[in-house]
Amino acid sequence: MEGEQQSSGILRSMDAEQLREHAHKMVDFIADYYKTIESFPVLSQVQPGYLEKLLPDSAPDYPETLEHVLNDVQEKILPGVTHWQSPNYFAYFPSNSSIAGFLGEMLSAGFNIVGFSWITSPAATELETIVLDWLAKALKLPHDFHSTGQGGGVIQGTASEAVLVVLLAARDKILRTVGKGALPKLVTYASDQTHSSLLKACQIGGLNPEFCRSLKTDASTNYALSPEVFSEAVSRDIASGLIPFFLCATVGTTSSTAIDPLPELGKIAKVKNIWFHVDAAYAGSACVCPEYQHHLNGVDEADSFNMNAHKWLLTNFDCSLLWVKDRSALIQSLSTNPEYLKNKASQGNMVIDYKDWQIPLGRRFRSLKLWMVMRLYGLEGLRNHTRNHINLAAYFEDLVGQDPRFKVVTPRTFSLVCFRLLPPANTEDTNKLNRDLLDSVNSTGSVFITHTVLSGQFILRFAVGAPLTEQRHVDAAWRILQEKATALLGSL
C-alpha cells in the first residue's frame, strides 16, 4: 500500500488522467504566454552560451515536477527565445501559428503515428492527398498537379526539402536519357535572388558548383529574372557542351518579393527540356486570394510548385507543400522497397506511399493541422488573414513615403516593404548608416526587423505577417524607426 502511494505521483509514460491534468496546465501556460507576449523583448537579448550557466551539466536521476520545469521555462528559456509570434515581429518572413494549427499539432502528437506508407495509417496518407488537392484547387493550379492526374501534392518539412527532392528527380530523369557519366555536365539556373536552399540542394545532389548558375538581376526588372538573360545563359552552356536541366523561378523572393516572369521562363524551359520549378514559399499563401492569383500565371508550364503553409497560412511549422506534375519522376528517384516494408496495398500499386516522395522514411501526421486550419478558418478566413497583412504593409509603405529622410527601394507587392534611410550629403558610408539604424532599432527589444543587400545597398526589410499584428504595432514600430533615425542623423 505504501509503495502504491509513493508511485501515484510518478508521471507514467502515457496515462489518460495524468495527460488531462498536465495538458491543462501546459495549455494554461501557453495561453498566458500569448496573453503577455508583448511584454517580452521581440529579439532575444541574451549572449551566446547564456544557458549553460543556468542549467546543470547532467540530467536528473529522479523525476521533477511539471511546475518546476515550467518555472525554468519562464525564468531560463524564455529570455533566450526570439518571439516569432509577437505582434512586433517584422523580421525575415512570418512563421504563423494559430489556434487551429496548434490544435492540429496536439492531435498529431497524441496519435504519434509514423506514416511512411499507406498501411501504417491509411487516414494520414489519404487526408494528405485530399487537403493538398483542396489547396491546389484554391490556388487554381493546373489539373496535372492534382492527385487525380499524373502528379499530386505532398507535405515536406521545408522549402529546402522540396527543392532538393525535385532537383534529385530532375537530375535522375535527365541522366536516364544522357547517361550517368554526364553528371558533371549538368547545369542549374536561378536568379541571384533565389533562396540559398537551391545551392545546398545542388551540393547534396553532387552537381558541379561551377555549373549552378546564379543569374544577375537588377533594379531595371525589380530584381526579377530576365528571360533574355536566362535564354542567353542556356544557349552559351549548350554551345559549350553542357547540359541544362533545372530552372528555379521564384514568386516572392526573400530579399524583396520579386516575381520572376513564369510564362516566358516556362516556355524557354519547355523548349530546352529543362525541369521548371516554381518556389512560392512565402507569396503562395497570398495567391489563395483571387486578386493575387495572376502572379501564378505560367505555372501551367512548371514541373513542380512549392509554397509554405507554415509561413503565412496560419499553419504551425513545419508544413511545406509541394506539388509535382509527374509523380513517377519523384518516386523513381526516391523510392526504396526493402522486404520488411512490403505489403499487399503497396505491392499492388493501389495506394500512395509518401515515403517515396521525400528524403526520410518516417513522417508525421502533418496533414491534420492543415485540415483543421482549412476547416476552422475556411478559405475566406485565410484570404482575409493575408489581405489584412498586405493592407498593413501598404499603410507602413505610406508612412515611409511621407518622411523625406527615407526611401522605399522596391515596389511593394505583398506584405514586405524594403526601404532605407537616406544619408546627409556629407555622409560617405550610407550602408553603415542603415546598419546602425537596424542595430539601434533591434536593441530596443520593442521591435525586430532584418535586412538585405540589393545592388550593393544595405536595405531594411519590414515584413508584416504575425497573426497578432494590428495597426497600432505598425505605428509603434515606425515611431521607433523615426526616433532612432533622428538620433543617428543628429550624431553625424
Side-chain angles (χ1 to χ4, degrees), residues 215 229 231-242:
L215 304 177
V229 170
S231 181
E232 289 168 7
V234 169
S235 296
R236 280 196 306 270
D237 286 332
I238 291 175
S240 300
L242 301 176

Side-chain angles (χ1 to χ4, degrees), residues 106-403:
M106 284 181 68
L107 198 54
S108 177
F111 293 151
N112 198 35
I113 67 156
V114 186
F116 49 82
S117 61
W118 179 87
I119 196 173
T120 59
S121 271
T125 295
E126 296 192 14
L127 184 63
E128 186 160 338
T129 302
I130 290 167
V131 294
L132 268 292
D133 279 349
W134 281 5
L135 205 48
K137 292 173 184 175
L139 292 165
K140 298 290 192 291
L141 295 182
H143 183 262
D144 288 344
F145 285 119
H146 297 200
S147 65
T148 50
Q150 296 300 309
V154 57
I155 300 177
Q156 304 283 342
T158 65
S160 300
E161 295 168 52
V163 73
L164 172 59
V165 296
V166 295
L167 181 87
L168 296 178
R171 179 199 67 182
D172 293 349
K173 182 178 180 181
I174 193 72
L175 290 180
R176 283 192 291 273
T177 301
V178 300
K180 291 184 178 180
L183 177 62
K185 296 182 178 181
L186 298 187
V187 189
T188 65
Y189 303 87
S191 86
D192 57 3
Q193 301 299 306
T194 301
H195 194 274
S196 60
S197 58
L198 175 61
L199 182 58
K200 181 177 282 190
C202 290
Q203 292 170 344
I204 295 171
L207 301 175
N208 186 336
E210 293 181 18
F211 299 153
C212 299
R213 306 292 190 213
S214 179
L215 304 177
K216 186 173 176 55
T217 62
D218 57 38
S220 68
T221 61
N222 291 324
Y223 298 97
L225 176 58
S226 161
E228 291 76 22
V229 170
F230 170 55
S231 181
E232 289 168 7
V234 169
S235 296
R236 280 196 306 270
D237 286 332
I238 291 175
S240 300
L242 301 176
I243 305 172
F245 86 105
F246 189 85
L247 166 66
C248 179
T250 307
V251 177
T253 59
T254 303
S255 283
S256 64
T257 64
I259 300 169
D260 291 336
L262 305 188
E264 296 87 347
L265 294 172
K267 288 174 185 173
I268 298 167
K270 188 173 185 179
V271 169
K272 301 297 184 180
N273 194 30
I274 295 171
W275 184 294
F276 183 30
H277 176 65
V278 175
D279 173 5
Y282 157 72
S285 296
C287 296
V288 298
C289 302
E291 65 269 30
Y292 292 101
Q293 285 178 348
H294 66 277
H295 293 304
L296 298 184
N297 288 350
V299 75
D300 52 309
E301 299 288 357
D303 296 282
S304 49
F305 174 83
N306 171 235
M307 63 160 284
N308 286 348
H310 62 240
K311 269 192 169 64
W312 199 17
L313 208 64
L314 291 174
T315 307
N316 294 41
F317 187 83
D318 54 351
C319 191
S320 184
L321 313 180
L322 172 68
W323 288 269
V324 291
K325 265 187 181 173
D326 177 13
R327 56 180 173 264
S328 67
L330 208 57
I331 293 169
Q332 284 184 69
S333 185
L334 300 171
S335 178
T336 57
N337 191 30
E339 185 62 36
Y340 50 80
L341 296 181
K342 290 180 180 178
N343 61 85
K344 288 182 180 178
S346 297
Q347 299 306 108
N349 292 319
M350 297 182 288
V351 295
I352 290 175
D353 287 337
Y354 279 124
K355 71 178 179 63
D356 299 328
W357 295 46
Q358 63 175 24
I359 299 298
L361 173 66
R363 59 199 330 268
R364 300 190 301 119
F365 199 166
R366 287 179 292 212
S367 56
L368 269 176
K369 59 187 171 186
L370 184 59
W371 184 55
M372 294 192 76
V373 164
M374 294 180 78
R375 291 191 65 186
L376 294 179
Y377 297 118
L379 288 174
E380 200 54 35
L382 296 175
R383 291 174 184 130
N384 290 334
H385 168 71
T386 54
R387 284 169 179 150
N388 176 53
H389 289 145
I390 291 169
N391 290 336
L392 288 175
Y395 172 72
F396 179 81
E397 182 182 38
D398 287 342
L399 293 176
V400 175
Q402 292 167 24
D403 190 330

